[in-house]
Amino acid sequence: MSDLRITEAFLYMDYLCFRALCCKGPPPARPEYDLVCIGLTGSGKTSLLSKLCSESPDSVVSTTGFSIKAVPFQNAILNVKELGGADNIRKYWSRYYQGSQGVIFVLDSASSEDDLETARNELHSALQHPQLCTLPFLILANHQDKPAARSVQEVKKYFELEPLARGKRWILQPCSLDDMDALKDSFSQLINLLEEKDHEAVRM
């Protein structure tokens, strides 16, 4: 091979290396999903979302109306609209459902029987609401680190999830602030459901 051909070959290799290093372009944008997060006061909604956003626990204040957080994950950004869970606010929840692509329901697995009954009724209402009934649900049985916490199987049976949510997309997961890996895994499963729903919409 002539010196000219060798020089051309090296120049072309340099060009390819330059393209690979400098001309890759911006990474593809992560998809964004709009979610609504509901649950009774004290269930831990605000604390869980704040921890996922790496916010200081000292700044956590119980939500009285609603708040919006952009929760970043490697493959998606979740724009979560958290609604306050007090008695005088729950009756207005449905006003904020429009535009939601998924639902996060947080319950206190260590709560009193009365509060658990109220949470069950609210979850049943959400699962059957016209604006939510076709959406993916992530149901978090929070406060698993407390001695009085009910297991996931106990929650599933008490909330009658198998018959009520049959045919729907839902995930029931245990969680606590002490186990962020499990919490992030729960949200990854929710993102998978959201992506599946997107793909189905494209095929239609």
Side-chain angles (χ1 to χ4, degrees), residues 7-107:
T7 302
E8 288 177 346
F10 275 114
L11 288 173
Y12 184 65
M13 289 174 63
D14 287 344
Y15 168 72
L16 292 179
C17 290
F18 174 80
R19 285 285 303 269
L21 291 172
C22 303
C23 302
K24 293 169 66 176
R30 287 176 289 180
E32 295 191 25
Y33 297 101
D34 296 328
L35 309 179
V36 63
C37 178
I38 52 181
L40 305 190
T41 295
S43 60
K45 305 183 299 296
T46 306
S47 296
L48 291 175
L49 294 174
S50 296
K51 192 75 178 286
L52 286 169
C53 291
S54 301
E55 295 176 358
S56 169
D58 298 332
S59 63
V60 173
V61 178
S62 182
T63 302
T64 54
F66 76 93
S67 67
I68 299 176
K69 290 185 184 297
V71 187
F73 290 89
Q74 187 173 1
N75 56 338
I77 296 175
L78 305 182
N79 298 312
V80 182
K81 186 191 310 175
E82 181 200 345
L83 308 184
D87 293 348
N88 60 337
I89 294 175
R90 293 199 302 271
K91 59 186 177 183
Y92 300 113
W93 277 358
S94 60
R95 297 186 181 185
Y96 298 91
Y97 289 167
Q98 187 172 3
S100 299
Q101 296 168 278
V103 183
I104 304 162
F105 189 95
V106 184
L107 62 97

Side-chain angles (χ1 to χ4, degrees), residues 106-124:
V106 184
L107 62 97
D108 179 2
S109 60
S111 66
S112 67
E113 290 292 334
D114 287 345
D115 282 347
L116 203 65
E117 175 69 18
T118 303
R120 181 174 70 170
N121 293 338
E122 294 293 354
L123 178 58
H124 285 199

Side-chain angles (χ1 to χ4, degrees), residues 61-194:
V61 178
S62 182
T63 302
T64 54
F66 76 93
S67 67
I68 299 176
K69 290 185 184 297
V71 187
F73 290 89
Q74 187 173 1
N75 56 338
I77 296 175
L78 305 182
N79 298 312
V80 182
K81 186 191 310 175
E82 181 200 345
L83 308 184
D87 293 348
N88 60 337
I89 294 175
R90 293 199 302 271
K91 59 186 177 183
Y92 300 113
W93 277 358
S94 60
R95 297 186 181 185
Y96 298 91
Y97 289 167
Q98 187 172 3
S100 299
Q101 296 168 278
V103 183
I104 304 162
F105 189 95
V106 184
L107 62 97
D108 179 2
S109 60
S111 66
S112 67
E113 290 292 334
D114 287 345
D115 282 347
L116 203 65
E117 175 69 18
T118 303
R120 181 174 70 170
N121 293 338
E122 294 293 354
L123 178 58
H124 285 199
S125 296
L127 282 165
Q128 298 175 80
H129 193 279
Q131 291 180 304
L132 304 182
C133 62
T134 62
L135 303 182
F137 271 71
L138 171 60
I139 304 163
L140 294 173
N142 195 18
H143 297 152
Q144 288 291 309
D145 52 326
K146 294 185 177 180
R150 297 162 180 85
S151 69
V152 166
Q153 290 303 320
E154 289 174 315
V155 170
K156 183 188 292 186
K157 182 177 180 180
Y158 184 82
F159 277 66
E160 301 174 314
L161 286 173
E162 291 289 0
L164 183 69
R166 185 175 293 118
K168 302 179 187 293
R169 296 176 175 87
W170 60 277
I171 305 162
L172 171 62
Q173 291 286 95
C175 73
S176 72
L177 288 176
D178 294 338
D179 192 350
M180 289 307 296
D181 288 339
L183 182 63
K184 290 177 180 178
D185 180 67
S186 299
F187 275 82
S188 293
Q189 292 182 53
L190 175 61
I191 290 170
N192 289 339
L193 292 182
L194 293 166

